[in-house]
Amino acid sequence: MAERWLLQGATVVTGAPEHEDLPCGDLLIEDGLIVAMGRGLSAEGCQVLPLTGKLVMPGLIDTHRHTWQTPLRGLGADWTVMDYLAAVRVKLSPVFRPEDLHAGTLAGALEALDAGITTLVDYSHCISSPEHADAALQGLQDSGIQALFAYGFAPGPEPSPAFPSPEHRFADARRLRAGPLSSDSGRVRLGIALTEMQVPWEQSRAEVHTARALGVPISLHCSAWPVTGPSEVEQLAREGLLGPDLLFVHCTFSGDEDLARIANSGGSISATPESELQMGMGFPIVGRALRAGVRTTLGCDVVASNGGELFTAMRLALQSERGRANALAGLPRRLDLKARQLLRMVTQDAADAIGLGAITGSLRPGKQADLVVLSADSLNLSPLGAPRDAIVMQAHAGNVESVMVRGKLVKHRGVLLGTEVSAVRRQVLRARDAVLERVGGMSALLAEHARLEEHWDLGAGRAPGATVSR
Ligand SMILES: [Zn+2]
C-alpha cells in the first residue's frame, strides 16, 4: 500500500515562483512525491503530522562540501588556505584509509541532514584506491541523504599510489557508473570532481572528456587565488568545453569575462563564503556573479575549519556582500541584494545547478518530498514576519525539527531516525585519532608549506584587493 503522509496546518514556504506561500497549509505526500498542496486536505489513509506553529520549507541543498574531512572537525579554526593545503591535501589526505573515509562521510552527511540539508554535493577528493571510493560512497548511502557523489580525480601525494596514472582513476569512476551508480534516479548519483587545473592541460582535458562520457555533472575548484596563467574558465572556453553541466567552486578571482562565459554556457557557481572569507580565498563572488547572470549557489566546503550548515552560509554571503556594497556607496539608499535571493540559492537554483531542478528544490505537486520542518514557534522565529526572510535572517540549524528525503522521515521532533548517533561519533573519533597519529600529531601538520609549490601554482601567494570593488 502506498505510504501517504499529510503535513497539516503549517506555514508553507514553497520556494516555487508559481506557487504562493501558504500561511496555514497542508501537504499531501504519496510514495515520496508531493501530490497536493492546499488548505483542508483530506487525511483519509494518511499518517498525519500536525504542524500548527511550524514552518515547512524545501530541503536545503549544499553544492560544495568535502564531507570526508569531518573527522578533522575543529582543527582548522585559524588556517589560511596555505595551511589548509599543507595540512589536509598534502599531509592528511594520503593517510586516510577507507574506514576513515566512511566514518567522515557518514558523520558529515548526518550532520548535514540534521541541519536540514536534504541534498549534498560531496566533493570527495580523497579517493586513493577503489576501496576508498567504495567506502566514501557507502557513507553517503548509509546516511539517508540525497547526494551527488563527486568522485575526485585529484591524486594525493601517496608514495606508492594504488592509481599509478589518471587513466586508472578514470577506469574506477567508470566501474561505479557501470555498477552501483548506473542509475540517474537513485538517491546517490555519480558526479565528477576535477583535479585543480594546475596539472598539465592534457590531463584536465582528459578528465573533462571522461566525465562527459559518463554523462554526469562536473565540479571544479576555480580561481580561488590568483594564478599566473590563463584561468580554468578561459582554458575550457578555448576548447569549447564549457557547458551547463559544470559547477565552478569559489571563482573569487574570476574576472568579468569569465563570469560572462559561465553565464552564457549555462554553468553555475558554488560560493563558500565561510571558508573563502577565512582562508584568504578572495571575496565571495555572490554579488558579482548574480549581476553577471550566473546561477549562484552556496556550499559549506571545509568542515575541518568552519560550520557545516547553510543558515550561517546564507547570512555570511548576504551580509558580506552588503558590507562590500555599502562601503562603496557611503550611506546606501537601498540594499540591492535581497534576503530571499539567498534562500533561492540554497534551494531551486542549487537543484538546477546539479541537474535536479525538476525533482527537488521547491515544494509543488509532482516534486519529491525533500523538505524541512522548522520550529517557527521558537523564540528566535517569533513572531514570524515574512517567512522567506525569517528563514534567511533568523533561523538556525537548531530550528530544524523534522526532515524528509524523498518522502522518508530521516529526522523527527529533533531526533535523527534509523541511525545510532553515538556509534557514528565513536567511529569518527577513532578516525580522527588514527589519522593524526599516522602523521605524527597536530604539530607536524603545518610543516609542509615548502612542498605546496610541487602541487599548486599559488601565484603571488597573497590575495590582492582587486575583487573587492564593483
Ligand atoms: Zn573545496
Side-chain angles (χ1 to χ4, degrees), residues 9-197:
T11 297
V12 180
V13 169
T14 66
E18 69 279 19
H19 288 277
E20 282 182 16
D21 296 344
L22 306 170
C24 178
D26 302 345
L27 249 75
L28 182 62
I29 295 160
E30 196 171 297
D31 277 345
L33 296 179
I34 300 166
V35 293
M37 292 184 346
R39 289 182 184 84
L41 299 181
S42 163
E44 198 182 327
C46 293
Q47 302 179 71
V48 178
L49 291 186
L51 295 176
T52 304
K54 311 298 178 186
L55 183 154
V56 176
M57 61 175 286
L60 300 167
I61 302 175
D62 179 341
T63 56
H64 187 72
R65 175 188 306 231
H66 306 296
T67 318
W68 66 272
Q69 295 173 359
T70 306
L72 310 177
R73 166 85 68 224
L75 301 186
D78 302 316
W79 282 347
T80 66
V81 70
M82 302 273 278
D83 296 331
Y84 164 73
L85 293 172
V88 178
R89 300 291 300 279
V90 175
K91 195 88 181 173
L92 285 163
S93 159
V95 304
F96 264 71
R97 293 178 184 165
E99 62 268 27
D100 308 318
L101 229 57
H102 177 264
T105 304
L106 173 58
L110 289 175
E111 175 200 6
L113 281 176
D114 196 39
I117 294 166
T118 51
T119 305
L120 177 66
V121 179
D122 184 13
Y123 200 106
S124 193
H125 60 351
C126 184
I127 306 294
S128 305
S129 72
E131 292 73 32
H132 284 75
D134 291 342
L137 172 58
Q138 193 63 50
L140 291 175
Q141 281 167 337
D142 292 347
S143 71
I145 204 164
Q146 175 162 264
L148 196 68
F149 175 56
Y151 186 113
F153 279 161
E158 298 99 2
S160 48
F163 296 124
S165 75
E167 185 50 46
H168 288 82
R169 286 175 184 279
F170 303 164
D172 195 46
R174 285 193 282 266
R175 171 183 69 86
L176 294 184
R177 186 63 168 145
L181 299 179
S182 58
S183 170
D184 288 328
S185 58
R187 180 168 54 77
V188 181
R189 298 166 166 84
L190 184 65
I192 292 296
L194 302 182
T195 309
E196 284 83 359
M197 287 193 178

Side-chain angles (χ1 to χ4, degrees), residues 15 45 73 81 124 148 159 182 197 205 211 217 222 228 236 272 277 284 313 447 467:
R73 166 85 68 224
V81 70
S124 193
L148 196 68
S182 58
M197 287 193 178
R205 181 200 289 125
C222 179
T228 43
L236 289 162
T272 67
L277 288 164
T467 55

